[in-house]
Amino acid sequence: MVSNLKCRLYRASVRCLILAAFLQCLVAIIVAMCRSDPKRWMARIYKQNAGENVDSTFLDPEIIIGQPIFAPPAGNQFVIMSVLFDPPKFADESAVKSFGLDVTMQRLACASWARIAADIKIRIWMDTAEGCKRAADYPEFQVAKCSPVPNISAESGRPFLHSFWLDARAEYPEHVLIWLNSDIIITPEMLFRIDSALSKFPDATVISRRTDFNVTKDFSVSHDVFGDLNQIVESASAKGALHDETGIDMFAIRSESAVIDNIPPFVIGAYRWDNWLVLWSLTKRIPVIDITKHGIMLHAVKPSNTAHHSSRRGAEYNDHLCKSVVGELYKIGTVSSADYFLSQGPRVQVIKNVDQSIAVFLARRASPSRWIAVVTVSEGYFDFAYQWLCNIKRIGVGYYVFLAQDSESKERLVAANEAVVEASDFDLSSDLNRMHLAGDSSVEAEYGSVGFQVTMTLRTLVLKKILSFGFNVITADLDSIWLQDPLPMFDSVATVQGQEHKKTKISGGFVAIRSGAVGRDYWQKVCDCQVLNMQFLATAKPGTYSPSKYTEQECVNDEAMKMIKKKTPGFAVHILPATYFPDGRSYFTNFDSARQGVLPYVVHNNWVVGSKAKLERLRQSGLYFNGSQVHICPNHPLKPDYTITAVARNEGQVVLNWNQREMHHGYRYRIHILTMCRPQSLKRLLHSMQVADYSGHQVAVVFLVDKPTPDASEEIHRLWTETLDISRSFRLGPGILHEVVEHTENHGLISQWIDPWPATDMDEIMIILEDDIEVSAMWFDYVTKITERYYRKDEDSGGEASLAGFSLQRQHTILGERPDLRYGQSTPKSILNNGDLFYRYQLPSTWGSVWFPHAWSAFVGWIQDLALNRELGKSLIAKPCVPTLISNSWWKQKPGSIWSVWIVRFVFERGYYFLYTNLPGDSALVINHREAGIHFGGTKGPDSHLISYINLNSLKELASIPLYDLHFRRVPTAESLRWNSFVLS
């Protein structure tokens, strides 16, 4: 027992000695670390316990290069991607040394990436496959996936940037992709800051500047790169300096970001692509967040790094590409333009950049070709601002800003969420000091007055600033009426262009100036001229001078003439055609545009004095928007809706007895077959109809058999009898209703069209087939699928009441004539893009026409109100003519035969349209054999051939399908069709 006790005591004493030794060592370590840098030790404890971010300069080197300390939250997975050059063989120390700083920094960078976080993925590309093979021998490269660079530019010898982003996206479809230059060393805090930014704005583009530190020519590392990394981070964090705002060496975006899809073919290793990427994100309203912080991203400044970026291989190519895409606006794409930045303290906050340049605001409003319209507004002219704004919204133009002259107009526009700037947003001090500005903008200022010139001068100076950013600018008066987007009419090289004034001059009401050295120089001269005007007006006595000589318009023309006389290189003036850009007299008084079938782009409401007279002119022409709330513009007074128009009953109506038990199941389709004395044609139509599948649908076939006139020949009456027999005996299939209407006297084609369908049921669809039509085997499947996709019965569920129906024919006609397109010179197919399977067209169809009930009842009600004499084809109330349509002359020659012009006039007034197919070749769902009858004196044969299949699985949204008016001009909306009917009339 004694011996056992001694053994236990001995073992206990040994444990105590060991524990005392361990505690002594631990205390020594703590004391040593606290003496060396107590903040670092506390930071480590803080990091581990609280999970908060700390400055990387406080982190122990062991934490940086040992086991990863940052584990990204679930949901954010990171991939670091970079392009490296081939390293030498790892075992060949002399070769490694001969590569010098380049290979040294590349190794250090990759070592820092490898230890930044748990489960970090590294994707690198090297010059060759052999380079990737050699890289596998380096410890710091072993965690990276490597492959040879793809897609090298033949011009510069450098790889294309977008190839790497696309490859990374394909490999890591749900990751955050981080682009780093190959010599960038990073710390864990950088990844934490990226994650913080994306947690706030998941779709953001995240950027960061680098911290530069100097290294000597003989700087090198040992085989223990991870160990050497300690010293680099310690030294660089203490001695480095942040690069200026152009030094963006990190981009982080999600792999699904639209940025990746739109990167132009830039090459890597040269500048400008980074500016483009920031600018593109800003203009597309993708949040750009700057996470820059000293020391989180390190870059060695080598002794050889003295060459300017512009001298690098590929720089000239990238510079030219960038400027061809965004012009001088690339200068906006810097760190200072970011929407947000991250705070510098331990607790990260995303802070809005209140110092963001006004140029970013403008870039988000500008057109893709960098045009922006500047419209000066004041409380005294706010009625015109409302009219101008509603016209702009109607045509879908968004590249404008209002230049507010007073707080009242600014507040009203800001409240309506409109884009507004003030002169104070721009640095105009040097120009304003040169003159004295005085005037009351709250009241209407007369043309040529000092108050009027104050407004014009401020606008001129603001335009100068906007031009200096790299934007092309349009200066537009509030009394200009924008009816179409004017950009397609602009000359591609002219420095200045505008509306015609007195044949040889430019009107100040609409002037466009192209940015560039020549354009900026020209506008500076205009500004100098206007400043002189203001200096003169400040002292001149009223009545001693002609006000019109001291206006901005005179400066625009005088300075242009001076530059033309001097033959200034690159300077050109273009006067826009007066027919398309008319003044008030040409458009409102002489009707020059309407006479030629021209839809103007911009009308200047001048040649009348005073605001009241100008607004009254708009009212009389139907172009006045009657409203008071800036953000709400009234619809056209004749805008259709999904309601049935009450119409008078007539003897020709055919009311069908549908199965009442099935009436609530889907739509019902009534097929009207118009025939008289063409039995063989009718047989061909019916035979083609029998091939289709009608199962699962409620269908009725209504034969409308007109009777020949009393003076018709016996042969005609025999053919009529045969036609009647075919109609009576035909059955399309079981469960399908069959109705034959046998007229006892001749009704004529117009009555056969109009009378039979009462259109009192919103679920009943009418299909009209004349007997010389032949249908495709899939025709009815097409009818049901298109109806179910696009006929909604209410606009809240995505429908558009302006869609009157659709057509099964291949439309080959453009009735509207204009100076650049006469009748017969072109067809819809020759104008459409081949990729457009469907298009919307205002011209009604008469071959294989499908009508929706709300539109048909509106037409029948309209035609009844006109008291149309169907035999004569005339009305005492109105004519069916539409300005410059070739069908006008047809109707005048045969008013009793050409009845479809009345439908054309109806859709023109109300803004209805139809859906058409643009099928390959001359194929269609129906063909017209164009046989002798009312429309054709002799048989012409088929106009196309039948198609057997159309893929209807992915039908587009209706609003995305191109829309054309009767002149086959593309228009943005059906509302534009309605307002244009006023413009053209």
Side-chain angles (χ1 to χ4, degrees):
M1 292 182 63
V2 173
S3 61
N4 288 338
L5 179 61
K6 288 180 177 180
C7 287
R8 284 198 296 271
L9 290 172
Y10 175 76
R11 285 196 295 268
S13 63
V14 170
R15 291 193 194 103
C16 289
L17 290 171
I18 293 173
L19 180 60
F22 173 77
L23 291 173
Q24 185 177 6
C25 291
L26 182 61
V27 169
I29 292 171
I30 293 174
V31 170
M33 296 190 71
C34 289
R35 284 176 178 173
S36 63
D37 194 340
K39 288 192 293 184
R40 181 181 292 121
W41 176 245
M42 294 305 296
R44 181 178 183 180
I45 297 173
Y46 183 74
K47 178 75 174 183
Q48 292 172 335
N49 293 338
E52 286 289 340
N53 180 40
V54 295
D55 192 310
S56 61
T57 57
F58 293 164
L59 295 177
D60 191 291
E62 290 183 2
I63 298 178
I64 297 176
I65 59 112
Q67 291 298 316
I69 62 165
F70 174 77
N76 268 346
Q77 302 177 77
F78 297 94
V79 178
I80 293 176
M81 45 191 288
S82 189
V83 181
L84 287 66
F85 58 83
D86 289 355
K89 290 183 178 180
F90 183 69
D92 189 346
E93 293 188 13
S94 61
V96 174
K97 188 174 182 180
S98 67
F99 269 68
L101 288 174
D102 289 332
V103 72
T104 298
M105 298 313 303
Q106 190 167 276
R107 294 181 63 193
L108 287 168
C110 203
S112 72
W113 308 342
R115 297 303 178 96
I116 192 174
D119 197 31
I120 190 78
K121 291 180 172 59
I122 301 175
R123 182 64 169 94
I124 61 174
W125 292 264
M126 289 188 169
D127 295 331
T128 64
E130 178 63 25
C132 288
K133 185 177 180 181
R134 293 178 191 171
D137 295 330
Y138 288 77
E140 60 271 17
F141 293 140
Q142 289 174 358
V143 296
K145 178 181 179 181
C146 181
S147 61
V149 294
N151 203 6
I152 296 177
S153 167
E155 181 178 339
S156 66
R158 290 185 179 272
F160 288 108
L161 173 73
H162 65 278
S163 299
F164 303 110
W165 286 100
L166 292 173
D167 284 358
R169 165 194 275 177
E171 296 171 16
Y172 309 101
E174 297 180 354
H175 288 63
V176 176
L177 307 180
I178 304 172
W179 177 276
L180 291 172
N181 286 344
S182 63
D183 56 355
I184 295 296
I185 298 170
I186 58 177
T187 66
E189 188 176 1
M190 190 199 77
L191 203 61
F192 181 85
R193 291 174 72 81
I194 292 174
D195 183 73
S196 299
L198 293 176
S199 296
K200 183 71 174 178
F201 294 100
D203 299 324
T205 295
V206 181
I207 60 176
S208 179
R209 285 188 286 163
R210 63 180 185 251
T211 299
D212 291 327
F213 66 97
N214 296 314
V215 295
T216 60
K217 188 175 182 181
D218 57 352
F219 178 84
S220 62
V221 295
S222 65
H223 279 292
D224 183 15
V225 175
F226 294 105
D228 293 333
L229 189 59
N230 295 331
Q231 302 173 11
I232 297 296
V233 173
E234 185 84 16
S235 174
S237 297
K239 301 178 182 179
L242 278 176
H243 199 88
D244 63 31
E245 63 180 31
T246 63
I248 307 175
D249 279 332
M250 188 283 295
F251 288 90
I253 56 177
R254 296 194 182 277
S255 59
E256 61 267 27
S257 173
V259 176
I260 297 174
D261 299 308
N262 290 277
I263 298 175
F266 290 111
V267 296
I268 66 168
Y271 65 174
R272 294 286 184 263
W273 70 262
D274 49 350
N275 304 120
W276 174 90
L277 198 149
V278 173
L279 176 64
W280 194 89
S281 299
L282 290 169
T283 56
K284 300 305 177 184
R285 290 179 167 77
I286 297 172
V288 176
I289 306 177
D290 173 24
I291 66 164
T292 297
K293 185 176 181 180
H294 184 278
I296 66 169
M297 197 170 77
L298 309 173
H299 172 258
V301 179
K302 310 161 195 174
S304 59
N305 282 3
T306 57
H308 191 268
H309 284 289
S310 60
S311 64
R312 293 183 180 178
R313 183 160 47 95
E316 183 178 354
Y317 166 84
N318 273 8
D319 183 62
H320 176 75
L321 174 60
C322 183
K323 290 177 180 176
S324 69
V325 176
V326 298
E328 298 293 321
L329 294 186
Y330 76 88
K331 297 174 183 177
I332 301 173
T334 64
V335 168
S336 62
S337 294
D339 297 300
Y340 303 91
F341 61 88
L342 259 58
S343 60
Q344 301 295 303
R347 288 188 176 273
V348 170
Q349 290 181 311
V350 179
I351 302 172
K352 187 172 181 60
N353 181 10
V354 296
D355 296 322
Q356 189 180 54
S357 169
I358 189 69
V360 176
F361 176 79
L362 296 172
R364 285 173 168 159
R365 300 292 304 182
S367 75
S369 52
R370 306 186 299 282
W371 285 99
I372 188 160
V374 181
V375 186
T376 304
V377 60
S378 63
E379 187 64 17
Y381 284 92
F382 206 84
D383 283 347
F384 283 101
Y386 180 74
Q387 301 300 318
W388 190 90
L389 186 58
C390 287
N391 274 306
I392 284 291
K393 289 182 176 180
R394 179 176 61 81
I395 63 176
V397 165
Y399 54 87
Y400 65 89
V401 293
F402 285 103
L403 175 59
Q405 297 293 97
D406 50 54
S407 59
E408 292 83 2
S409 60
K410 178 184 177 181
E411 289 171 2
R412 292 177 68 178
L413 289 167
V414 169
N417 201 30
E418 285 298 326
V420 188
V421 297
E422 296 178 284
S424 59
D425 293 324
F426 305 86
D427 182 12
L428 307 178
S429 55
S430 60
D431 289 308
L432 294 180
N433 290 336
R434 299 161 58 191
M435 55 189 172
H436 302 285
L437 296 181
D440 185 359
S441 58
S442 64
V443 296
E444 178 188 344
E446 294 183 4
Y447 177 78
S449 67
V450 174
F452 181 84
Q453 287 308 312
V454 167
T455 298
M456 295 299 101
T457 300
L458 286 174
R459 181 177 72 176
T460 305
L461 298 176
V462 168
L463 292 178
K464 184 180 77 168
K465 286 295 182 181
I466 297 176
L467 282 167
S468 71
F469 293 137
F471 297 100
N472 305 316
V473 296
I474 301 169
T475 168
D477 286 352
L478 278 177
D479 62 353
S480 59
I481 308 165
W482 290 41
L483 301 173
Q484 293 192 78
D485 183 353
L487 295 188
M489 291 295 290
F490 282 5
D491 184 86
S492 60
V493 296
T495 312
V496 57
Q497 48 199 315
Q499 286 178 307
E500 178 188 293
H501 175 65
K502 296 182 178 179
K503 302 297 183 182
T504 60
K505 292 185 176 182
I506 289 177
S507 168
F510 185 88
V511 183
I513 309 99
R514 194 176 298 277
S515 182
V518 178
R520 290 192 291 270
D521 179 56
Y522 162 70
W523 200 251
Q524 178 63 62
K525 296 179 186 299
V526 173
C527 289
D528 293 340
C529 172
Q530 185 66 3
V531 168
L532 292 175
N533 283 345
M534 291 306 302
Q535 291 174 346
F536 171 81
L537 293 172
T539 58
K541 293 181 180 181
T544 63
Y545 62 91
S546 173
S548 62
K549 291 184 178 180
Y550 298 92
T551 62
E552 177 197 38
Q553 178 172 289
E554 290 300 304
C555 290
V556 165
N557 286 285
D558 289 348
E559 298 304 324
M561 187 58 64
K562 291 176 184 177
M563 295 184 75
I564 290 173
K565 288 181 178 180
K566 291 180 179 179
K567 298 182 179 180
T568 304
F571 182 79
V573 176
H574 176 65
I575 297 178
L576 296 165
T579 306
Y580 291 94
F581 294 83
D583 59 28
R585 183 171 61 178
S586 171
Y587 177 76
F588 291 104
T589 305
N590 298 338
F591 307 107
D592 291 339
S593 299
R595 293 176 189 277
Q596 299 181 56
V598 166
L599 179 63
Y601 285 83
V602 178
V603 177
H604 195 185
N605 189 7
N606 58 0
W607 288 92
V608 64
V609 179
S611 297
K612 290 183 179 179
K614 292 183 178 184
L615 293 173
E616 181 58 30
R617 178 193 261 174
L618 294 179
R619 289 188 184 92
Q620 292 178 1
S621 62
L623 296 177
Y624 182 80
F625 291 91
N626 188 15
S628 57
Q629 299 184 43
V630 180
H631 62 289
I632 300 176
C633 293
N635 290 319
H636 190 281
L638 297 178
K639 184 180 185 297
D641 56 25
Y642 282 108
T643 58
I644 295 295
T645 302
V647 297
R649 293 187 59 84
N650 64 76
E651 295 180 355
Q653 285 186 358
V654 180
V655 179
L656 297 173
N657 295 316
W658 296 103
N659 186 331
Q660 296 298 316
R661 290 176 299 174
E662 298 180 0
M663 281 190 66
H664 63 282
H665 295 297
Y667 298 117
R668 294 176 291 283
Y669 301 91
R670 53 187 296 156
I671 305 169
H672 288 192
I673 297 177
L674 279 55
T675 187
M676 186 171 72
C677 55
R678 292 191 294 211
Q680 297 307 313
S681 299
L682 180 60
K683 284 182 179 180
R684 181 181 58 217
L685 168 62
L686 299 179
H687 176 73
S688 68
M689 289 175 61
Q690 287 178 312
V691 181
D693 181 13
Y694 303 93
S695 59
H697 298 282
Q698 296 183 77
V699 180
V701 178
V702 180
F703 288 89
L704 301 166
V705 187
D706 202 6
K707 188 171 184 178
T709 57
D711 59 350
S713 66
E714 291 184 6
E715 177 63 13
I716 292 296
H717 280 277
R718 185 190 69 78
L719 294 173
W720 172 69
T721 302
E722 186 178 349
T723 300
L724 267 177
D725 292 340
I726 295 170
S727 302
R728 292 165 180 165
S729 61
F730 178 77
R731 293 295 181 272
L732 188 57
I736 296 177
L737 295 180
H738 177 264
E739 190 87 24
V740 179
V741 177
E742 303 175 13
H743 291 303
T744 57
E745 59 183 15
N746 185 264
H747 276 224
L749 191 58
I750 184 171
S751 295
Q752 281 190 295
W753 266 78
I754 294 176
D755 291 343
W757 189 29
T760 57
D761 184 347
M762 285 294 288
D763 289 324
E764 197 173 80
I765 311 299
M766 179 178 69
I767 307 162
I768 298 180
L769 301 175
E770 296 186 9
D771 58 12
D772 57 351
I773 293 291
E774 185 178 358
V775 298
S776 162
M778 71 163 299
W779 83 280
F780 191 72
D781 181 54
Y782 178 86
V783 167
T784 57
K785 282 186 169 60
I786 294 299
T787 300
E788 291 165 3
R789 177 67 178 87
Y790 296 118
Y791 178 50
R792 287 283 188 267
K793 294 189 294 184
D794 67 85
E795 298 201 354
D796 291 338
S797 60
E800 182 169 75
S802 299
L803 176 65
F806 55 95
S807 173
L808 306 177
Q809 76 171 100
R810 178 180 69 89
Q811 185 57 264
H812 60 278
T813 302
I814 300 176
L815 293 180
E817 293 194 303
R818 55 184 195 262
D820 58 332
L821 184 66
R822 313 309 296 180
Y823 177 73
Q825 290 181 344
S826 188
T827 64
K829 190 168 192 65
S830 64
I831 297 174
L832 291 165
N833 295 322
N834 291 331
D836 292 331
L837 177 59
F838 298 99
Y839 64 100
R840 297 178 290 166
Y841 186 17
Q842 200 172 16
L843 184 65
S845 165
T846 55
W847 301 347
S849 183
V850 182
W851 279 81
F852 297 145
H854 69 286
W856 184 257
S857 67
F859 167 64
V860 174
W862 178 82
I863 207 78
Q864 286 182 355
D865 290 342
L866 293 181
L868 177 66
N869 184 318
R870 298 183 183 183
E871 183 177 353
L872 298 177
K874 293 182 179 182
S875 165
L876 297 177
I877 299 174
K879 293 181 180 180
C881 298
V882 175
T884 71
L885 261 61
I886 189 67
S887 53
N888 297 339
S889 60
W890 301 345
W891 173 78
K892 290 177 181 178
Q893 294 171 8
K894 296 181 178 180
S897 300
I898 311 299
W899 77 271
S900 57
V901 292
W902 294 98
I903 301 184
V904 173
R905 178 68 202 190
F906 168 73
V907 299
F908 172 71
E909 289 183 8
R910 304 294 179 92
Y912 284 105
Y913 63 81
F914 300 82
L915 186 70
Y916 283 87
T917 55
N918 179 31
L919 300 174
D922 60 352
S923 56
L925 288 151
V926 302
I927 57 175
N928 189 307
H929 287 269
R930 298 185 293 181
E931 294 177 341
I934 293 177
H935 298 307
F936 302 103
T939 299
K940 291 188 175 183
D943 69 307
S944 50
H945 70 269
L946 294 174
I947 194 166
S948 58
Y949 175 75
I950 304 174
N951 185 353
L952 300 175
N953 293 328
S954 300
L955 295 173
K956 292 182 177 180
E957 292 292 329
L958 191 63
S960 67
I961 299 173
L963 173 62
Y964 297 86
D965 67 6
L966 289 169
H967 291 75
F968 218 75
R969 289 178 292 236
R970 187 165 180 175
V971 294
T973 63
E975 198 56 3
S976 293
L977 292 175
R978 285 182 280 279
W979 286 106
N980 290 350
S981 69
F982 283 163
V983 174
L984 292 168
S985 298

